[in-house]
Each structure stands twice: as C-alpha cells, then as structure tokens.
Amino acid sequence: MYTNILVPVSFEADRNAQGAMEIAKALRAQGGKITCLHVMEVLPKYATEFLPSDHLEKARADIVDSLGSLIADIPDATTLVVDGHSARTILEHASDNANDLIIIASHQPGMQDYLLGSTAAKVVRHAKCAVHVLR
C-alpha cells in the first residue's frame, strides 16, 4: 500500500481519470493521501493572441471544478493545477513531494508511440517511485 499517491489527470477523450482515482483509492494505505494533478501546457504566443483575454482563467476554473468532482467522495485527497510541460512537471512534483506512487493513464497506442503515450512513457522511464499505468 502507498501513503502518498500522485494522480496526474488529463481531460482528453482517451483518458480514464475516474478509473485512475478508483485505483488510487484501492492502493492507498490507511491514512495515506492522494493528490490529483493537472498540468496546463503553456501555449505559444502566436496561438493565444487569437483567444479571448480571459481564456486561461476560464480554462483553469473549469479544470479546478472537474478535479473537485473527481475527489468529492475521497477523504484526504487534494487537487492541484500547475503550469508547465506535462512529463517534466509530473516528475518534478513527484520528486519534490516524496510521492511513492504515480498512477497515470495512457491512451491507446498508435504507430508513433507503440506502447505508451509520450507523457506516460517519459514518466515511466524517469520516475523515482512506482508507476501504475492505466489503459
């Protein structure tokens, strides 16, 4: 059982956030905590100039609401939304916060990534703790 679980969540259609949270609940030790993390990728300036000025604030608020619904019935679970590069930020967070397990969803592979999505593959290769990959 694990005492400090990190669940990075992507809201893409092929991700299973609810399934990842169920696994986290099942693998959490009594008294353990779960952090549900979403990384907002930084958009290039040329892309953001055509978006409404409050686009990022609205997106962040929607993400916070979605994460809140994922952890609503889970005691000792928290949410966190940060800016950065997905894989690098997940790995840094896990290292800085002494996570002992990362549960990450991976999309169904295509020819370009054979077994895992690029973020999941990087996390699996470089994490200093256990990683559970959900398909």
Side-chain angles (χ1 to χ4, degrees):
M1 296 302 219
Y2 298 92
T3 60
N4 191 4
I5 300 173
L6 178 63
V7 183
V9 174
S10 172
F11 293 105
E12 296 173 24
D14 59 345
R15 300 291 195 240
N16 188 346
Q18 191 61 48
M21 294 307 293
E22 292 299 320
I23 292 169
K25 288 191 306 187
L27 295 178
R28 178 176 58 170
Q30 187 171 356
K33 66 179 185 172
I34 298 171
T35 302
C36 190
L37 172 74
H38 179 79
V39 180
M40 291 183 67
E41 292 272 350
V42 178
L43 296 173
K45 179 71 173 160
Y46 65 83
T48 59
E49 68 185 52
F50 298 106
L51 296 173
S53 59
D54 61 346
H55 168 75
L56 289 178
E57 291 81 15
K58 286 183 178 179
R60 185 178 295 273
D62 289 344
I63 291 166
V64 167
D65 288 344
S66 296
L67 291 176
S69 67
L70 281 175
I71 68 161
D73 66 337
I74 305 172
D76 296 321
T78 58
T79 63
L80 181 62
V81 179
V82 297
D83 297 322
H85 177 271
S86 297
R88 185 174 31 240
T89 303
I90 292 165
L91 292 165
E92 287 173 3
H93 181 85
S95 179
D96 293 347
N97 293 280
N99 290 108
D100 53 359
L101 175 64
I102 300 170
I103 300 173
I104 189 166
S106 178
H107 61 80
Q108 293 300 316
M111 288 304 292
Q112 72 276 16
D113 47 24
Y114 298 129
L115 300 175
L116 297 172
S118 60
T119 298
K122 289 175 187 170
V123 169
V124 167
R125 280 195 305 269
H126 300 288
K128 294 183 172 113
C129 64
V131 179
H132 182 105
V133 179
L134 174 65
R135 288 256 181 196

